Amino acid sequence: MCGIVGAVAERNITAILLEGLKRLEYRGYDSAGVAVLTNDATLERMRRPGKVSELDAALAEHPLVGRLGIAHTRWATHGAPCERNAHPHFSGDIAVVHNGIIENHEALREQLKALGYVFTSDTDTEVIAHLLTHKLKDQPDLTVALKATVKELHGAYGLAVINARQPDRLVAARSGSPLVIGLGLGENFLASDQLALRQVTDRFMYLEEGDIAEIRRDSVQIWDITGKAVERQTVQYSDGAEAADKGEFRHYMLKEIHEQPAVVQRTLEGRLSDQQVLVQAFGPQAPELFAKVRNVQIVACGTSYHAGMVARYWLEELAGIPCQVEVASEFRYRKVVVQPDTLFVTISQSGETADTLAALRNAKELGFLASLAICNVGISSLVRESDLTLLTQAGREIGVASTKAFTTQLVGLLLLTLSLGQVRGTLGQGVEATLVEELRRLPTRLGEALAMDSTVEKIAELFAEKNHTLFLGRGAQFPVAMEGALKLKEISYIHAEAYPAGELKHGPLALVDNDMPVVTVAPNNELLEKLKSNLQEVRARGGELVVFADEKAGMTNGEGTHVVQMPHIHDILSPILYTIPLQLLSYYVAVLKGTDVDQPRNLAKSVTVE
Ligand code: G6P
């Protein structure tokens, strides 16, 4: 989603802002802009549609020099992605950048127009700029005026503001959109993600919901939601820098796919004893709370939702616990009936997805037993606001299409399943010890699947000219098929749909012909024979098949049937393994189509608006 960077220093800060934007670009990227207070105390800005490189080129021709500034990468919500709508937005002496959505912007716009303010963009953000200018008439102190302004805003915002008349400070406000202050020596910074500031500092202060901050060169002052002056803890951050480098790989996505054996290993570290999962990995209260759990409700979005769907099969089959899974944007607005002793589980790579966070906040009112976040970012809002946490150790994921975050979420969810079954005594004899052993072998198996890279690259050629594809799976492989279809549409823009293979004959079979390849995942389990019949139904209609099949499944190449032999794996872990070739397939199809693999059109890494 959008990204914010700000700086107040004694040196020229334009290059710092630009570097910060480049590091944030993976979050949202349809336009970018920067505003600085130049040395003759005027506000100047440069905005460009497209990538940060466009802004960079424009600044190379017309440099902006100043010691106070703000910058933004935008992912359009209100108004098309063009220069006029790009941030920063100006009003009088002030410049504003904003992440989030102001829900009452229309009413505010009318009021401000009636007061004579002229709007030059279609954005909701511009109302903040004019409202603030209006407040400054009564109260010339920028910080005080910002406090008055945010009282009138409904919705979500992370805001950074500068004022030409107060060149000593940058002010910020957080409500529903994360902001972090980077602490330097004689200079301070602000960003929506600390990654943007890693080149200038490793000390950070995270703003909390409702905080307002006044950031000067040599001081930071923060007020909480009640207006009380507060101190926020300073955190030294040392991880994550390596992720900003693609290394030997052509794209972040390919690098992240290949990191999976290592990050799965990391996710398991310290969480397994000889034959068991260590339940305390979920927090010191976990053993006591898990013993009470009788139901599980999982809520997530996108890829994380697919991880939740796989977990449902595991929780019911292995731990005997009824489980419901729902996308957060639906759950948050539905009248939900909560069964007694239900554990509320959110899954999120970023921990900042607006719908997932809102669902968690609603859940607190609904009488769930406790909340658990399975999340990749330890300092995220989701983690802070949940009772229990399991951090996936995927490291920073830059590619918009989620890969290693998904497989580590699956590992976390299998650990959860085994932990719940363990404390409740519902696992079958020897199941935990077997699966713990299988989990230990998983990184090696994933490495074997990755070794099929060039085979999958060849298969990708079948798809490059197609417009539609179908993904099929049965049982826990159905969500894997959904994830495979999502990957393909996200980065290659080919229409892809997933179906449980048994549903084929109830409709989608009508679409199958030789222009619609069908991708299937076929581990060696009790559903294999049924799946083989479904595949015959496709072949009989001239559909071309690509089957990722267990080496023991006895499937071989035939006319119009391309079989990729997969290393044999325990059926329970097969969703994790079979995800790998589907990730590689979508990657190579996108490369062949020449699309922007890491930053696909219209999408954002972390969706912090509703
Ligand atoms: C966006 C991303 C997806 C991601 C989803 C949920 O749509 O593009 O890759 O799966 O958000 O994000 P989360 O951070 O909550 O897992």
Side-chain angles (χ1 to χ4, degrees):
M1 199 105 304
C2 311
I4 287 177
V5 192
V8 50
E10 272 226 325
R11 52 177 164 156
N12 177 21
I13 43 74
T14 316
I16 296 172
L17 297 178
L18 207 62
E19 172 63 22
L21 289 188
K22 286 180 187 159
R23 287 163 178 255
L24 288 181
E25 202 179 16
Y26 75 101
R27 291 173 61 102
Y29 34 76
D30 54 41
S31 51
V34 54
V36 299
L37 190 62
T38 61
N39 294 339
D40 67 354
T42 49
L43 274 180
E44 281 188 29
R45 75 181 156 188
M46 182 72 80
R47 300 179 293 173
R48 284 290 177 272
K51 299 218 162 197
V52 177
S53 53
E54 306 288 330
L55 180 67
D56 198 0
L59 284 168
E61 270 187 37
H62 303 284
L64 293 181
V65 179
R67 297 174 195 163
L68 174 71
I70 51 178
H72 192 260
T73 51
R74 176 169 187 254
W75 184 79
T77 57
H78 294 71
C82 55
E83 181 168 338
R84 196 166 58 84
N85 288 331
H87 300 211
H89 289 284
F90 279 6
S91 174
D93 291 320
I94 64 153
V96 176
V97 290
H98 165 222
N99 285 0
I101 288 179
I102 302 304
E103 287 174 353
N104 59 335
H105 73 101
E106 278 169 355
L108 288 171
R109 184 182 275 254
E110 290 316 308
Q111 285 168 26
L112 289 159
K113 274 186 181 166
L115 289 166
Y117 290 93
V118 176
F119 282 78
T120 57
S121 80
D122 310 315
T123 64
D124 51 341
T125 304
E126 199 180 352
V127 301
I128 307 173
H130 292 316
L131 187 60
L132 187 52
T133 298
H134 194 64
K135 298 286 178 201
L136 279 166
K137 288 186 178 154
D138 293 336
Q139 177 44 260
D141 182 275
L142 180 63
T143 316
V144 178
L146 183 65
K147 288 179 183 173
T149 300
V150 296
K151 286 201 176 108
E152 295 187 28
L153 304 179
H154 302 164
Y157 50 83
L159 290 175
V161 187
I162 54 176
N163 179 356
R165 293 183 183 270
Q166 284 170 294
D168 58 339
R169 73 186 72 171
L170 164 66
V171 296
R174 169 190 170 148
S175 180
S177 230
L179 283 177
V180 56
I181 297 169
L183 304 165
L185 289 175
E187 55 187 16
N188 285 315
F189 309 93
L190 177 80
S192 48
D193 183 324
Q194 82 279 347
L195 182 72
L197 303 176
R198 291 282 304 158
Q199 82 277 22
V200 279
T201 184
D202 61 358
R203 289 185 308 129
F204 298 98
M205 211 179 252
Y206 296 89
L207 293 187
E208 293 191 6
E209 283 298 281
D211 280 358
I212 303 259
E214 183 180 281
I215 305 156
R216 299 171 188 244
R217 272 204 316 103
D218 45 13
S219 69
V220 170
Q221 258 191 296
I222 301 174
W223 295 266
D224 71 7
I225 196 161
T226 66
K228 193 170 87 183
V230 285
E231 304 260 325
R232 299 285 176 224
Q233 201 193 344
T234 301
V235 180
Q236 192 118 10
Y237 195 78
S238 56
D239 189 19
E242 81 285 357
D245 177 9
K246 283 199 275 271
E248 68 195 79
F249 294 96
R250 189 163 158 199
H251 295 100
Y252 282 112
M253 183 179 176
L254 189 61
K255 174 181 179 238
E256 289 161 4
I257 289 174
H258 279 272
E259 278 171 359
Q260 289 175 110
V263 296
V264 160
Q265 177 81 48
R266 223 158 60 192
T267 302
L268 291 170
E269 257 157 41
R271 290 166 173 171
L272 301 177
S273 72
D274 218 13
Q275 304 209 315
Q276 283 198 311
V277 174
L278 298 171
V279 182
Q280 283 87 345
F282 292 86
Q285 336 80 295
E288 201 189 320
L289 273 171
F290 282 3
K292 296 185 194 150
V293 172
R294 282 200 279 155
N295 298 283
V296 171
Q297 170 73 61
I298 298 178
V299 167
C301 301
T303 290
S304 300
Y305 167 66
H306 294 154
M309 286 183 71
V310 174
R312 179 179 178 208
Y313 288 89
W314 289 339
L315 282 159
E316 302 211 344
E317 177 178 341
L318 296 172
I321 300 178
C323 173
Q324 307 226 38
V325 190
E326 193 163 351
V327 286
S329 54
E330 285 298 313
F331 179 88
R332 63 181 290 196
Y333 289 115
R334 205 163 62 75
K335 296 264 176 292
V336 183
V337 177
V338 181
Q339 300 283 346
D341 300 320
T342 302
L343 179 68
F344 184 78
V345 179
T346 54
I347 310 169
S348 174
Q349 188 285 125
S350 61
E352 302 293 349
T353 301
D355 285 322
T356 310
L357 256 178
L360 169 65
R361 290 174 185 155
N362 288 357
K364 293 195 171 160
E365 316 292 312
L366 295 174
F368 284 97
L369 176 69
S371 58
L372 162 69
I374 297 202
C375 187
N376 194 35
V377 181
I379 45 172
S380 62
S381 307
L382 202 67
V383 166
R384 275 204 303 272
E385 296 181 27
S386 296
D387 303 319
L388 303 171
T389 303
L390 185 86
L391 289 183
T392 49
Q393 299 288 352
R396 183 165 295 271
E397 193 180 60
I398 301 272
V400 164
S402 190
T403 53
K404 60 178 181 167
F406 179 67
T407 40
T408 52
Q409 285 167 349
L410 289 178
V411 169
L413 288 159
L414 189 51
L415 295 178
L416 173 66
T417 304
L418 294 174
S419 300
L420 284 167
Q422 183 196 116
V423 294
R424 297 174 73 254
T426 49
L427 294 172
Q429 179 82 25
V431 165
E432 188 168 16
T434 305
L435 288 175
V436 163
E437 198 43 46
E438 291 290 337
L439 277 167
R440 285 212 174 89
R441 289 198 203 117
L442 182 61
T444 311
R445 294 282 163 281
L446 296 178
E448 288 164 14
L450 285 167
M452 301 179 332
D453 188 295
S454 50
T455 312
V456 180
E457 185 174 5
K458 191 102 200 68
I459 298 255
E461 291 168 14
L462 294 171
F463 294 78
E465 303 296 319
K466 304 287 190 225
N467 295 318
H468 307 276
T469 50
L470 200 56
F471 283 70
L472 301 177
R474 294 194 78 123
Q477 298 297 345
F478 167 49
V480 171
M482 291 178 75
E483 176 58 13
L486 177 65
K487 288 288 87 90
L488 192 69
K489 59 189 149 202
E490 278 179 322
I491 59 169
S492 72
Y493 317 144
I494 293 176
H495 169 226
E497 272 194 84
Y499 265 89
E503 272 291 291
L504 189 63
K505 54 190 172 295
H506 296 297
L509 198 54
L511 297 171
V512 171
D513 61 14
N514 58 9
D515 266 337
M516 184 162 186
V518 177
V519 181
T520 312
V521 276
N524 192 18
N525 63 19
E526 76 282 358
L527 294 172
L528 181 65
E529 291 310 316
K530 292 187 190 303
L531 187 73
K532 283 181 179 168
S533 315
N534 301 142
L535 300 187
Q536 288 308 321
E537 293 159 10
V538 172
R539 275 307 299 141
R541 273 90 190 162
E544 192 141 16
L545 278 170
V546 173
V547 189
F548 295 97
D550 189 298
E551 59 196 9
K552 295 190 177 166
M555 297 185 78
T556 47
N557 280 337
E559 211 200 319
T561 307
H562 311 264
V563 177
V564 181
Q565 306 284 349
M566 296 286 293
H568 179 64
I569 192 161
H570 190 290
D571 191 40
I572 290 293
L573 275 79
S574 62
I576 310 178
L577 188 77
Y578 280 72
T579 296
I580 305 276
L582 300 189
Q583 294 170 343
L584 287 170
L585 180 66
S586 57
Y587 172 76
Y588 283 115
V589 175
V591 168
L592 282 173
K593 292 199 72 177
T595 55
D596 190 340
V597 172
D598 286 330
Q599 299 178 343
R601 69 184 183 201
N602 304 344
L603 300 181
K605 182 72 191 154
S606 169
V607 182
T608 49
V609 295
E610 201 179 330

